[in-house]
Amino acid sequence: MDTLDTLARNTVPTAMGQARIGIDDFITAYNEGRCELLDIRVPEETAVWQLNFGLRIPANELPDRLDELPRDTLLVVACPMSDRSNMARSYLTAKGFQAKYLAGGLLGLADRLKGGAAKHLAIRR
């Protein structure tokens, strides 16, 4: 009988791992100017807590605002966890964008950057 790990390796295509980027890899890529953060939360969510960097376009507005997105850099799509961001990533890649979703989401990113760790992110304007 196969273990759950073996089953997952045989069932989930290897390319699925290419759809996401980890938090530390995101921070490195962002600092090197190789990606842009795309926060897809709705206004009610961003009113409660915000990040002071990245693009903010709610997921439901993406179809009408594609012209605001850079096509020459990787978009890292993020929501609080990763469910909505993966769906938005799929949409954006179907539209020809380079996109990944942020594994761990914005909550994971905020946790990683809390306190003195925030100095490791170079905020670009």
Side-chain angles (χ1 to χ4, degrees), residues 8 11-21 86 89-90 100-101:
T11 305
V12 179
T14 305
M16 289 299 291
Q18 297 171 0
R20 64 181 176 267
I21 186 170
N86 192 22
R89 179 212 55 85
S90 295
K100 294 186 178 197
Y101 73 90

Side-chain angles (χ1 to χ4, degrees), residues 20-108:
R20 64 181 176 267
I21 186 170
I23 290 171
D24 288 335
D25 289 338
F26 162 73
I27 291 170
T28 299
Y30 184 85
N31 286 342
E32 293 174 354
R34 294 186 287 121
C35 70
E36 181 63 67
L37 181 71
L38 175 57
D39 183 345
I40 62 161
R41 294 177 295 153
V42 296
E44 293 80 7
E45 290 173 299
T46 57
V48 174
W49 63 280
Q50 298 179 28
L51 298 174
N52 290 321
F53 67 99
L55 305 170
R56 287 185 213 134
I57 301 177
N60 64 316
E61 295 179 17
L62 281 174
D64 297 326
R65 297 179 63 184
L66 292 176
D67 59 331
E68 296 176 38
L69 299 174
R71 289 194 176 265
D72 59 346
T73 192
L74 173 67
L75 293 171
V76 176
V77 186
C79 65
M81 295 300 284
S82 61
D83 49 353
R84 287 179 282 166
S85 58
N86 192 22
M87 289 186 283
R89 179 212 55 85
S90 295
Y91 173 75
L92 290 170
T93 56
K95 292 296 185 180
F97 290 89
Q98 301 173 61
K100 294 186 178 197
Y101 73 90
L102 183 62
L106 294 172
L107 292 173

